[in-house]
Amino acid sequence: MENKANTPQAAVDRTLFDSIRWDERGLTPAIVQDDVSGQVLMMAYMNRLALEKTLETGETHFWSRSRNELWHKGGTSGNVQKVRSIHVDCDGDTLLILVDPAGPACHTGERTCFYRRLDGETDPEGQPFRGRLHSLLHDRKANPRQGSYTTQLLRAGEARVLQKLGEEAIEVIVAAQAESDERLIAEAADLMYHLIVLLVSRDMSCDMVDRELRQRYAGR
């Protein structure tokens, strides 16, 4: 079931909607995921009213089990979640909601509620790997580390970063023309790494690129 932001309820597959399985309290879990980065932001509960309100407004609404009332995500903080699509799992008892978040999902101020790892390892905000890599490279910029290639590259300045980016682009072309698939993957990884370094040097992020791509190619 899909619901593009601000899509009227008439566009919803009512047969699928009516097949959703609610528990004995009339609730079903809803997992919220960033539509661009793929990062899981939070999990809350919906009842039929919350889902109807979400579909009607194009912003997430949930049911509070502790307060026993409907609540609008970001209604107070401003950190609303614009709905891109809503999906029902194969058993019909869990929802997946893809959103454009206007701010942090967690009441602690963290971007995601899943910012802690059970094994104690550092995992910035529970991000997918590319987001973690961006966070790591950004940290190398903010906290230079002796012996770090990223630190050396950033210290050398943007001209050096651009030079390396150009070199890696050529190596990708050469690998694609005359080398193995494995070499192409390796060179593509080098190219993407240096591209992220360039973005970090400009205080930009991969999410910004992803959003631009979605605006250009959505629906094509």
Side-chain angles (χ1 to χ4, degrees), residues 174-200:
V174 171
Q177 290 179 330
E179 299 182 10
S180 67
D181 290 349
E182 289 76 13
R183 286 303 307 160
L184 176 57
I185 292 296
E187 297 298 347
D190 287 343
L191 178 63
M192 293 183 69
Y193 161 80
H194 285 89
L195 178 57
I196 296 174
V197 171
L198 175 62
L199 293 174
V200 167

PDB file of all heavy atoms in Angstrom, residues 174-200:
ATOM      1  N   VAL A 174      39.352   2.836 -16.731  1.00  0.00           N
ATOM      2  CA  VAL A 174      40.315   1.835 -17.195  1.00  0.00           C
ATOM      3  C   VAL A 174      39.882   0.439 -16.770  1.00  0.00           C
ATOM      4  O   VAL A 174      39.920  -0.518 -17.560  1.00  0.00           O
ATOM      5  CB  VAL A 174      41.723   2.151 -16.650  1.00  0.00           C
ATOM      6  CG1 VAL A 174      42.681   0.998 -16.939  1.00  0.00           C
ATOM      7  CG2 VAL A 174      42.251   3.450 -17.265  1.00  0.00           C
ATOM      8  N   ALA A 175      39.451   0.305 -15.500  1.00  0.00           N
ATOM      9  CA  ALA A 175      39.018  -1.003 -14.996  1.00  0.00           C
ATOM     10  C   ALA A 175      37.799  -1.502 -15.776  1.00  0.00           C
ATOM     11  O   ALA A 175      37.693  -2.685 -16.093  1.00  0.00           O
ATOM     12  CB  ALA A 175      38.699  -0.915 -13.514  1.00  0.00           C
ATOM     13  N   ALA A 176      36.875  -0.592 -16.094  1.00  0.00           N
ATOM     14  CA  ALA A 176      35.676  -0.983 -16.827  1.00  0.00           C
ATOM     15  C   ALA A 176      36.010  -1.436 -18.244  1.00  0.00           C
ATOM     16  O   ALA A 176      35.354  -2.328 -18.790  1.00  0.00           O
ATOM     17  CB  ALA A 176      34.696   0.184 -16.871  1.00  0.00           C
ATOM     18  N   GLN A 177      37.035  -0.849 -18.824  1.00  0.00           N
ATOM     19  CA  GLN A 177      37.387  -1.170 -20.202  1.00  0.00           C
ATOM     20  C   GLN A 177      38.257  -2.405 -20.341  1.00  0.00           C
ATOM     21  O   GLN A 177      38.115  -3.158 -21.306  1.00  0.00           O
ATOM     22  CB  GLN A 177      38.119   0.025 -20.835  1.00  0.00           C
ATOM     23  CG  GLN A 177      37.236   1.233 -21.082  1.00  0.00           C
ATOM     24  CD  GLN A 177      37.996   2.398 -21.679  1.00  0.00           C
ATOM     25  OE1 GLN A 177      39.199   2.568 -21.436  1.00  0.00           O
ATOM     26  NE2 GLN A 177      37.317   3.204 -22.481  1.00  0.00           N
ATOM     27  N   ALA A 178      39.145  -2.635 -19.354  1.00  0.00           N
ATOM     28  CA  ALA A 178      40.176  -3.645 -19.596  1.00  0.00           C
ATOM     29  C   ALA A 178      40.479  -4.567 -18.420  1.00  0.00           C
ATOM     30  O   ALA A 178      41.368  -5.416 -18.536  1.00  0.00           O
ATOM     31  CB  ALA A 178      41.475  -2.941 -20.018  1.00  0.00           C
ATOM     32  N   GLU A 179      39.765  -4.435 -17.313  1.00  0.00           N
ATOM     33  CA  GLU A 179      40.103  -5.247 -16.150  1.00  0.00           C
ATOM     34  C   GLU A 179      38.882  -6.044 -15.679  1.00  0.00           C
ATOM     35  O   GLU A 179      37.805  -5.955 -16.258  1.00  0.00           O
ATOM     36  CB  GLU A 179      40.661  -4.354 -15.039  1.00  0.00           C
ATOM     37  CG  GLU A 179      41.953  -3.621 -15.456  1.00  0.00           C
ATOM     38  CD  GLU A 179      42.529  -2.777 -14.346  1.00  0.00           C
ATOM     39  OE1 GLU A 179      42.055  -2.876 -13.189  1.00  0.00           O
ATOM     40  OE2 GLU A 179      43.471  -1.999 -14.627  1.00  0.00           O
ATOM     41  N   SER A 180      39.085  -6.804 -14.625  1.00  0.00           N
ATOM     42  CA  SER A 180      38.046  -7.705 -14.135  1.00  0.00           C
ATOM     43  C   SER A 180      36.938  -6.944 -13.404  1.00  0.00           C
ATOM     44  O   SER A 180      37.109  -5.784 -13.014  1.00  0.00           O
ATOM     45  CB  SER A 180      38.663  -8.727 -13.174  1.00  0.00           C
ATOM     46  OG  SER A 180      39.127  -8.078 -11.996  1.00  0.00           O
ATOM     47  N   ASP A 181      35.835  -7.641 -13.192  1.00  0.00           N
ATOM     48  CA  ASP A 181      34.736  -7.054 -12.423  1.00  0.00           C
ATOM     49  C   ASP A 181      35.195  -6.711 -11.008  1.00  0.00           C
ATOM     50  O   ASP A 181      34.773  -5.703 -10.437  1.00  0.00           O
ATOM     51  CB  ASP A 181      33.557  -8.022 -12.354  1.00  0.00           C
ATOM     52  CG  ASP A 181      32.852  -8.177 -13.693  1.00  0.00           C
ATOM     53  OD1 ASP A 181      33.146  -7.375 -14.613  1.00  0.00           O
ATOM     54  OD2 ASP A 181      32.022  -9.091 -13.819  1.00  0.00           O
ATOM     55  N   GLU A 182      36.061  -7.567 -10.446  1.00  0.00           N
ATOM     56  CA  GLU A 182      36.566  -7.324  -9.095  1.00  0.00           C
ATOM     57  C   GLU A 182      37.354  -6.025  -9.030  1.00  0.00           C
ATOM     58  O   GLU A 182      37.246  -5.250  -8.079  1.00  0.00           O
ATOM     59  CB  GLU A 182      37.438  -8.496  -8.627  1.00  0.00           C
ATOM     60  CG  GLU A 182      36.675  -9.786  -8.336  1.00  0.00           C
ATOM     61  CD  GLU A 182      36.244 -10.525  -9.594  1.00  0.00           C
ATOM     62  OE1 GLU A 182      36.733 -10.184 -10.696  1.00  0.00           O
ATOM     63  OE2 GLU A 182      35.407 -11.450  -9.477  1.00  0.00           O
ATOM     64  N   ARG A 183      38.185  -5.770 -10.056  1.00  0.00           N
ATOM     65  CA  ARG A 183      38.954  -4.532 -10.090  1.00  0.00           C
ATOM     66  C   ARG A 183      38.026  -3.330 -10.257  1.00  0.00           C
ATOM     67  O   ARG A 183      38.249  -2.274  -9.665  1.00  0.00           O
ATOM     68  CB  ARG A 183      39.967  -4.552 -11.239  1.00  0.00           C
ATOM     69  CG  ARG A 183      41.166  -5.433 -11.004  1.00  0.00           C
ATOM     70  CD  ARG A 183      41.910  -5.032  -9.729  1.00  0.00           C
ATOM     71  NE  ARG A 183      42.244  -3.605  -9.709  1.00  0.00           N
ATOM     72  CZ  ARG A 183      42.532  -2.936  -8.593  1.00  0.00           C
ATOM     73  NH1 ARG A 183      42.517  -3.542  -7.426  1.00  0.00           N
ATOM     74  NH2 ARG A 183      42.858  -1.657  -8.655  1.00  0.00           N
ATOM     75  N   LEU A 184      36.976  -3.486 -11.052  1.00  0.00           N
ATOM     76  CA  LEU A 184      36.031  -2.397 -11.231  1.00  0.00           C
ATOM     77  C   LEU A 184      35.358  -2.042  -9.910  1.00  0.00           C
ATOM     78  O   LEU A 184      35.215  -0.861  -9.563  1.00  0.00           O
ATOM     79  CB  LEU A 184      34.973  -2.778 -12.268  1.00  0.00           C
ATOM     80  CG  LEU A 184      33.843  -1.762 -12.498  1.00  0.00           C
ATOM     81  CD1 LEU A 184      34.400  -0.404 -12.903  1.00  0.00           C
ATOM     82  CD2 LEU A 184      32.873  -2.280 -13.549  1.00  0.00           C
ATOM     83  N   ILE A 185      34.955  -3.058  -9.154  1.00  0.00           N
ATOM     84  CA  ILE A 185      34.335  -2.810  -7.846  1.00  0.00           C
ATOM     85  C   ILE A 185      35.309  -2.099  -6.918  1.00  0.00           C
ATOM     86  O   ILE A 185      34.955  -1.135  -6.219  1.00  0.00           O
ATOM     87  CB  ILE A 185      33.862  -4.128  -7.206  1.00  0.00           C
ATOM     88  CG1 ILE A 185      32.693  -4.722  -8.005  1.00  0.00           C
ATOM     89  CG2 ILE A 185      33.458  -3.916  -5.747  1.00  0.00           C
ATOM     90  CD1 ILE A 185      31.449  -3.853  -8.009  1.00  0.00           C
ATOM     91  N   ALA A 186      36.556  -2.556  -6.906  1.00  0.00           N
ATOM     92  CA  ALA A 186      37.568  -1.955  -6.033  1.00  0.00           C
ATOM     93  C   ALA A 186      37.807  -0.487  -6.393  1.00  0.00           C
ATOM     94  O   ALA A 186      37.889   0.378  -5.512  1.00  0.00           O
ATOM     95  CB  ALA A 186      38.865  -2.746  -6.115  1.00  0.00           C
ATOM     96  N   GLU A 187      37.906  -0.212  -7.683  1.00  0.00           N
ATOM     97  CA  GLU A 187      38.158   1.161  -8.117  1.00  0.00           C
ATOM     98  C   GLU A 187      36.931   2.040  -7.875  1.00  0.00           C
ATOM     99  O   GLU A 187      37.056   3.224  -7.526  1.00  0.00           O
ATOM    100  CB  GLU A 187      38.555   1.196  -9.594  1.00  0.00           C
ATOM    101  CG  GLU A 187      39.858   0.472  -9.914  1.00  0.00           C
ATOM    102  CD  GLU A 187      41.072   1.064  -9.218  1.00  0.00           C
ATOM    103  OE1 GLU A 187      40.967   2.186  -8.663  1.00  0.00           O
ATOM    104  OE2 GLU A 187      42.127   0.411  -9.212  1.00  0.00           O
ATOM    105  N   ALA A 188      35.739   1.468  -8.060  1.00  0.00           N
ATOM    106  CA  ALA A 188      34.512   2.224  -7.788  1.00  0.00           C
ATOM    107  C   ALA A 188      34.434   2.591  -6.307  1.00  0.00           C
ATOM    108  O   ALA A 188      33.992   3.696  -5.951  1.00  0.00           O
ATOM    109  CB  ALA A 188      33.288   1.425  -8.219  1.00  0.00           C
ATOM    110  N   ALA A 189      34.860   1.664  -5.441  1.00  0.00           N
ATOM    111  CA  ALA A 189      34.869   1.948  -4.004  1.00  0.00           C
ATOM    112  C   ALA A 189      35.827   3.095  -3.695  1.00  0.00           C
ATOM    113  O   ALA A 189      35.517   3.983  -2.884  1.00  0.00           O
ATOM    114  CB  ALA A 189      35.264   0.694  -3.221  1.00  0.00           C
ATOM    115  N   ASP A 190      37.012   3.092  -4.341  1.00  0.00           N
ATOM    116  CA  ASP A 190      37.974   4.185  -4.149  1.00  0.00           C
ATOM    117  C   ASP A 190      37.377   5.519  -4.595  1.00  0.00           C
ATOM    118  O   ASP A 190      37.542   6.548  -3.936  1.00  0.00           O
ATOM    119  CB  ASP A 190      39.253   3.920  -4.941  1.00  0.00           C
ATOM    120  CG  ASP A 190      40.114   2.829  -4.321  1.00  0.00           C
ATOM    121  OD1 ASP A 190      39.902   2.507  -3.133  1.00  0.00           O
ATOM    122  OD2 ASP A 190      41.000   2.302  -5.030  1.00  0.00           O
ATOM    123  N   LEU A 191      36.674   5.483  -5.737  1.00  0.00           N
ATOM    124  CA  LEU A 191      36.061   6.706  -6.261  1.00  0.00           C
ATOM    125  C   LEU A 191      35.000   7.243  -5.305  1.00  0.00           C
ATOM    126  O   LEU A 191      34.962   8.452  -5.011  1.00  0.00           O
ATOM    127  CB  LEU A 191      35.445   6.424  -7.631  1.00  0.00           C
ATOM    128  CG  LEU A 191      34.711   7.596  -8.292  1.00  0.00           C
ATOM    129  CD1 LEU A 191      35.656   8.754  -8.570  1.00  0.00           C
ATOM    130  CD2 LEU A 191      34.034   7.137  -9.587  1.00  0.00           C
ATOM    131  N   MET A 192      34.147   6.353  -4.804  1.00  0.00           N
ATOM    132  CA  MET A 192      33.089   6.790  -3.903  1.00  0.00           C
ATOM    133  C   MET A 192      33.661   7.320  -2.597  1.00  0.00           C
ATOM    134  O   MET A 192      33.167   8.310  -2.051  1.00  0.00           O
ATOM    135  CB  MET A 192      32.116   5.638  -3.641  1.00  0.00           C
ATOM    136  CG  MET A 192      31.320   5.239  -4.870  1.00  0.00           C
ATOM    137  SD  MET A 192      30.095   3.946  -4.558  1.00  0.00           S
ATOM    138  CE  MET A 192      28.928   4.845  -3.541  1.00  0.00           C
ATOM    139  N   TYR A 193      34.719   6.673  -2.095  1.00  0.00           N
ATOM    140  CA  TYR A 193      35.365   7.154  -0.872  1.00  0.00           C
ATOM    141  C   TYR A 193      35.858   8.581  -1.059  1.00  0.00           C
ATOM    142  O   TYR A 193      35.596   9.470  -0.233  1.00  0.00           O
ATOM    143  CB  TYR A 193      36.530   6.239  -0.489  1.00  0.00           C
ATOM    144  CG  TYR A 193      37.504   6.900   0.463  1.00  0.00           C
ATOM    145  CD1 TYR A 193      37.240   6.989   1.821  1.00  0.00           C
ATOM    146  CD2 TYR A 193      38.691   7.464  -0.022  1.00  0.00           C
ATOM    147  CE1 TYR A 193      38.126   7.624   2.678  1.00  0.00           C
ATOM    148  CE2 TYR A 193      39.578   8.092   0.825  1.00  0.00           C
ATOM    149  CZ  TYR A 193      39.294   8.163   2.178  1.00  0.00           C
ATOM    150  OH  TYR A 193      40.164   8.811   3.019  1.00  0.00           O
ATOM    151  N   HIS A 194      36.564   8.840  -2.160  1.00  0.00           N
ATOM    152  CA  HIS A 194      37.120  10.178  -2.378  1.00  0.00           C
ATOM    153  C   HIS A 194      36.017  11.200  -2.644  1.00  0.00           C
ATOM    154  O   HIS A 194      36.164  12.385  -2.296  1.00  0.00           O
ATOM    155  CB  HIS A 194      38.140  10.148  -3.510  1.00  0.00           C
ATOM    156  CG  HIS A 194      39.446   9.522  -3.112  1.00  0.00           C
ATOM    157  ND1 HIS A 194      39.685   8.166  -3.236  1.00  0.00           N
ATOM    158  CD2 HIS A 194      40.564  10.062  -2.570  1.00  0.00           C
ATOM    159  CE1 HIS A 194      40.903   7.903  -2.790  1.00  0.00           C
ATOM    160  NE2 HIS A 194      41.458   9.025  -2.377  1.00  0.00           N
ATOM    161  N   LEU A 195      34.904  10.768  -3.241  1.00  0.00           N
ATOM    162  CA  LEU A 195      33.779  11.675  -3.429  1.00  0.00           C
ATOM    163  C   LEU A 195      33.186  12.079  -2.082  1.00  0.00           C
ATOM    164  O   LEU A 195      32.850  13.249  -1.858  1.00  0.00           O
ATOM    165  CB  LEU A 195      32.709  11.014  -4.301  1.00  0.00           C
ATOM    166  CG  LEU A 195      31.438  11.833  -4.547  1.00  0.00           C
ATOM    167  CD1 LEU A 195      31.754  13.181  -5.174  1.00  0.00           C
ATOM    168  CD2 LEU A 195      30.461  11.047  -5.428  1.00  0.00           C
ATOM    169  N   ILE A 196      33.064  11.119  -1.163  1.00  0.00           N
ATOM    170  CA  ILE A 196      32.544  11.439   0.169  1.00  0.00           C
ATOM    171  C   ILE A 196      33.508  12.366   0.905  1.00  0.00           C
ATOM    172  O   ILE A 196      33.079  13.284   1.609  1.00  0.00           O
ATOM    173  CB  ILE A 196      32.276  10.158   0.980  1.00  0.00           C
ATOM    174  CG1 ILE A 196      31.183   9.328   0.304  1.00  0.00           C
ATOM    175  CG2 ILE A 196      31.846  10.491   2.409  1.00  0.00           C
ATOM    176  CD1 ILE A 196      30.942   7.974   0.944  1.00  0.00           C
ATOM    177  N   VAL A 197      34.816  12.157   0.742  1.00  0.00           N
ATOM    178  CA  VAL A 197      35.795  13.064   1.350  1.00  0.00           C
ATOM    179  C   VAL A 197      35.580  14.490   0.836  1.00  0.00           C
ATOM    180  O   VAL A 197      35.634  15.458   1.600  1.00  0.00           O
ATOM    181  CB  VAL A 197      37.240  12.604   1.066  1.00  0.00           C
ATOM    182  CG1 VAL A 197      38.247  13.677   1.512  1.00  0.00           C
ATOM    183  CG2 VAL A 197      37.539  11.297   1.787  1.00  0.00           C
ATOM    184  N   LEU A 198      35.329  14.624  -0.471  1.00  0.00           N
ATOM    185  CA  LEU A 198      35.068  15.951  -1.035  1.00  0.00           C
ATOM    186  C   LEU A 198      33.827  16.571  -0.401  1.00  0.00           C
ATOM    187  O   LEU A 198      33.836  17.763  -0.030  1.00  0.00           O
ATOM    188  CB  LEU A 198      34.888  15.848  -2.549  1.00  0.00           C
ATOM    189  CG  LEU A 198      34.496  17.153  -3.260  1.00  0.00           C
ATOM    190  CD1 LEU A 198      35.581  18.212  -3.090  1.00  0.00           C
ATOM    191  CD2 LEU A 198      34.208  16.898  -4.735  1.00  0.00           C
ATOM    192  N   LEU A 199      32.755  15.787  -0.265  1.00  0.00           N
ATOM    193  CA  LEU A 199      31.542  16.300   0.361  1.00  0.00           C
ATOM    194  C   LEU A 199      31.814  16.736   1.799  1.00  0.00           C
ATOM    195  O   LEU A 199      31.357  17.799   2.239  1.00  0.00           O
ATOM    196  CB  LEU A 199      30.437  15.235   0.327  1.00  0.00           C
ATOM    197  CG  LEU A 199      29.890  14.857  -1.052  1.00  0.00           C
ATOM    198  CD1 LEU A 199      28.913  13.691  -0.925  1.00  0.00           C
ATOM    199  CD2 LEU A 199      29.210  16.047  -1.724  1.00  0.00           C
ATOM    200  N   VAL A 200      32.559  15.911   2.529  1.00  0.00           N
ATOM    201  CA  VAL A 200      32.900  16.242   3.916  1.00  0.00           C
ATOM    202  C   VAL A 200      33.695  17.537   3.982  1.00  0.00           C
ATOM    203  O   VAL A 200      33.478  18.376   4.864  1.00  0.00           O
ATOM    204  CB  VAL A 200      33.679  15.077   4.566  1.00  0.00           C
ATOM    205  CG1 VAL A 200      34.317  15.520   5.885  1.00  0.00           C
ATOM    206  CG2 VAL A 200      32.753  13.887   4.806  1.00  0.00           C
TER     207      VAL A 200
END
